[in-house]
Amino acid sequence: MTTAVFPGSFDPLTNGHLDLITRASKIFDHVIVAVGQNTAKRGVFTPAERVAFITTSTQNLANVSVQIESGLTVDFLRDNQATVLIRGLRNSTDFEFEQGIAGMNRSLAPEIETVFLNADPQYQFVSSSLLKEVAQFGGDLSALVPPAVAQGLRDRLERG
Ligand code: ADP
């Protein structure tokens, strides 16, 4: 039984994240989506709201669960008997950034393997931060985020 953890901010969940979660759920026995509670970076949505979006959007995936994580990601994996850390790669900037994190995590916890999944080309340009900017000006994001998130963004950010 292999448990994988997919950690991130998910502020909010996008179809790019959801595609990765779906693909990971086919590879691993159990996938835990870990919503990071980063005290330095105040999000648009609270950790509980982000968890709610993910829970609603992954209802059809029986082996996916969602938790809030604080502290070191490798400690969270160990606490949950997980041995695989999943991250997504959209471009070379992600790669450079992720390589550093993976190296550090490997040094902290050599028994944990970081596995990268390539972003689906149709979501390669999708980031939570860009979506929030577009939402502020009323852009239609329904093709890029799950329905619950599209509604949440409208309620939270749209002007006028
Ligand atoms: P973080 O702040 O930890 O980078 P994010 O919520 O931005 O958290 O991203 C979490 C993970 O999802 C990262 O590994 C990121 O590369 C990946 N990711 C983000 N957007 C996409 C996307 N459109 N397609 C595939 N993976 C993505």
Side-chain angles (χ1 to χ4, degrees):
M1 164 111 179
T2 305
T3 298
V5 169
F6 181 32
S9 311
F10 304 104
D11 185 39
L13 179 75
T14 71
N15 283 347
H17 295 133
L18 193 53
D19 176 61
L20 243 69
I21 295 167
T22 305
R23 287 158 56 196
S25 76
K26 292 176 187 158
I27 304 172
F28 303 105
D29 299 301
H30 182 202
V31 175
I32 304 173
V33 183
V35 176
Q37 205 164 20
N38 186 344
T39 43
K41 203 164 82 177
R42 212 179 119 60
V44 166
F45 296 100
T46 65
E49 287 171 324
R50 299 179 216 171
V51 166
F53 287 143
I54 300 167
T55 305
T56 304
S57 310
T58 57
Q59 262 169 357
N60 58 327
L61 302 171
N63 62 340
V64 172
S65 59
V66 191
Q67 285 189 49
I68 290 173
E69 171 213 357
S70 52
L72 277 181
T73 302
V74 291
D75 287 341
F76 179 84
L77 271 93
R78 284 173 168 162
D79 290 346
N80 288 279
Q81 287 82 47
T83 51
V84 175
L85 197 167
I86 298 164
R87 294 286 288 177
L89 292 180
R90 285 165 292 188
N91 46 45
S92 56
T93 310
D94 273 356
F95 178 75
E96 297 284 334
F97 179 67
E98 295 293 340
Q99 219 185 11
I101 297 177
M104 176 59 78
N105 284 335
R106 191 170 184 76
S107 149
L108 292 171
E111 79 281 13
I112 290 170
E113 198 63 57
T114 299
V115 171
F116 294 113
L117 296 181
N118 235 346
D120 187 301
Q122 67 174 317
Y123 300 129
Q124 219 149 17
F125 63 96
V126 176
S127 70
S128 299
S129 51
L130 199 49
L131 289 185
K132 285 182 279 195
E133 274 190 50
V134 174
Q136 260 183 2
F137 299 100
D140 178 13
L141 296 171
S142 51
L144 305 178
V145 295
V149 176
Q151 187 60 49
L153 281 168
R154 274 196 294 274
D155 293 346
R156 186 64 49 93
L157 290 176
E158 201 173 314
R159 286 177 183 169

